Amino acid sequence: MTEATVRIISSPESWIEQSAIDQLHQTASLPGIQAVVGLPDLHAGRGIAVGGAFWSPTHVYPHLVGSDIGCGMGLWRTDLALRKFRPDTALRKLHGLEQAWDGDTAARLAEASLPPLACEALGTIGGGNHFAELLRIESALDDALFADAGLDAEAVHLMVHSGSRGLGQAILDRHRLRHNVGALIAGVADCDAYLAEHDAAVGWAMLNRAVIADRFCDRLGTSGRRLLDICHNSVVPHRGGWLHRKGAAPADKGLVVIPGSRGDLTYVVRPRPEHADEALQSLAHGAGRKWSRSEARDKLSRRYRIADLERTKLGGRVICEDRDLIYEEAPQAYKDIHQVVHDLNQAGLIDMIATLRPLVTYKTRRA
């Protein structure tokens, strides 16, 4: 059996916990895995490191994709002029988004060539680290790339981070009932069945982000143009085999958005092809967690009131009416996004286009 190659893309200035590195090497020892890459946002997950890419010529491992198949980020440029934007007005208007979307779900699914799956959840953000965020351009880092990207310094932008909701979980649960965390062999019926369900969940998640964006724009009385949509939990054909990404953005699908925490900037970048294969055509998908959810809750609840976390150091407003979640997802729980992006740039993996500043971050409201 060929020993897998393991590469971690990070500089000496970056901190990556040993448990995440251990998880990465454990995954590298799985049968059929031949190459593993950890990105600068690497952190420990539930048995699998988040911020990694895993390649096998013959094996598909559903648990390396995880339960939120198709989770990703979309970015829209809205028609809302920045000079007219008022955060207090947005906070008043952004209500009722946890309830089922009242649009024609069947028609939207059919337009996307998707089966009528999980209709009641379509257009909802979900919990955990998912969000929708209104942003402004902070700085253009490359004027030519900025113009080509469709960004507008005079407009409010909308970023949506969500996935396949319960659909991906159901797919993984069905697989685990039969195979636990075992591999599927490419070309075998069980593998083909999983991949078909996986692809439907990826399509559903992409549509979900689009419907979420429609709902937000509708509440704000505007419309938007999608600039990009990337999926960071998936398994795709690659080099004649199968590339699994768990919290890793694709470097072969166009522009990528890499958000910091809700209290920090977001980067828009263009992948560079020169060294992309060394990183398994993957990039960091965000800042990466510094603390686990329980650590963040325990540490921060003793130091901060909820009201303290409803405004960020950058002046952003936060809508999160879940007491535990507002602590678990606080900016202090995340790594430094600037260091993460610096490491990618130093490795020759990206061209930086722009930074965006959060204005309003929407997590959840109580029913």
Side-chain angles (χ1 to χ4, degrees):
M1 182 176 66
T2 304
E3 186 175 347
T5 60
V6 178
R7 183 183 183 204
I8 298 177
I9 298 168
S10 69
S11 67
E13 292 76 28
S14 289
W15 175 81
I16 296 177
E17 59 196 315
Q18 187 60 46
S19 57
I21 296 171
D22 292 343
Q23 286 183 341
L24 203 68
H25 282 273
Q26 288 163 8
T27 302
S29 69
L30 291 172
I33 296 293
Q34 288 195 6
V36 172
V37 166
L39 285 310
D41 59 335
L42 187 74
H43 58 281
R46 295 180 180 177
I48 303 297
V50 180
F54 317 94
W55 180 76
S56 170
T58 52
H59 290 51
V60 170
Y61 283 96
H63 78 286
L64 295 185
V65 177
S67 60
D68 199 6
I69 301 168
C71 186
M73 312 269 186
L75 182 67
W76 283 257
R77 186 192 69 217
T78 78
D79 293 331
L80 183 60
L82 181 60
R83 59 185 171 80
K84 294 183 178 180
F85 179 76
R86 300 292 180 269
D88 287 342
T89 302
L91 263 64
R92 286 197 303 271
K93 291 182 175 181
L94 294 174
H95 279 272
L97 295 160
E98 285 68 39
Q99 283 74 49
W101 180 52
D102 60 4
D104 191 340
T105 56
R108 289 296 292 267
L109 288 163
E111 287 171 14
S113 301
L114 293 169
L117 299 167
C119 292
E120 70 283 353
L122 189 67
T124 59
I125 296 170
N129 62 351
H130 297 147
F131 62 84
E133 189 167 81
L134 300 167
L135 313 99
R136 61 171 294 168
I137 300 296
E138 178 75 358
S139 59
L141 304 174
D142 184 303
D143 290 340
L145 294 180
F146 184 91
D148 288 344
L151 298 163
D152 184 349
E154 304 302 321
V156 174
H157 293 71
L158 170 65
M159 179 166 55
V160 177
H161 174 205
S162 191
S164 55
R165 306 288 275 112
L167 179 59
Q169 181 70 63
I171 293 168
L172 182 62
D173 288 347
R174 283 195 294 273
H175 166 77
R176 280 182 163 165
L177 280 174
R178 298 191 65 181
H179 302 283
N180 197 4
V181 294
L184 298 171
I185 306 301
V188 175
D190 279 358
C191 186
D192 291 344
Y194 168 77
L195 290 172
E197 288 190 302
H198 163 281
D199 291 351
V202 169
W204 193 97
M206 186 174 181
L207 176 61
N208 190 44
R209 291 188 284 276
V211 175
I212 291 168
D214 288 347
R215 297 185 78 182
F216 270 73
C217 287
D218 183 64
R219 291 291 192 280
L220 298 172
T222 188
S223 57
R225 173 195 167 199
R226 182 162 58 191
L227 304 180
L228 61 90
D229 189 284
I230 57 168
C231 168
H232 53 239
N233 287 352
S234 67
V235 57
V236 296
H238 180 69
R239 293 191 328 212
W242 296 94
L243 177 59
H244 309 72
R245 292 186 177 107
K246 177 62 175 173
D252 53 0
K253 300 295 183 184
L255 300 184
V256 172
V257 62
I258 309 178
S261 70
R262 66 187 184 224
D264 215 333
L265 301 180
T266 284
Y267 283 80
V268 179
V269 305
R270 182 179 70 174
R272 298 181 65 182
E274 296 94 320
H275 305 291
D277 282 341
E278 298 171 21
L280 289 178
Q281 293 288 338
S282 299
L283 298 173
H285 79 310
R289 293 196 73 91
K290 179 172 63 178
W291 299 334
S292 70
R293 295 185 183 282
S294 59
E295 283 180 296
R297 189 171 61 247
D298 293 345
K299 289 179 179 180
L300 299 176
S301 62
R302 293 195 294 267
R303 295 174 54 193
Y304 298 98
R305 301 171 302 154
I306 287 177
D308 298 330
L309 299 179
E310 291 177 333
R311 289 180 182 265
T312 74
K313 66 179 182 181
L314 295 181
R317 309 289 285 275
V318 178
I319 301 172
C320 182
E321 296 180 354
D322 180 314
R323 178 182 175 82
D324 287 342
L325 191 61
I326 199 168
Y327 287 110
E328 292 167 1
E329 290 295 312
Q332 295 90 331
Y334 283 84
K335 299 181 191 182
D336 180 0
I337 185 61
H338 310 288
Q339 186 63 55
V340 168
V341 173
H342 169 80
D343 288 359
L344 295 174
N345 189 44
Q346 191 176 54
L349 296 175
I350 59 169
D351 292 315
M352 294 187 287
I353 298 174
T355 57
L356 296 89
R357 174 189 289 252
L359 301 170
V360 175
T361 304
Y362 189 104
K363 300 287 289 182
T364 186
R365 287 196 186 273
R366 289 188 292 270

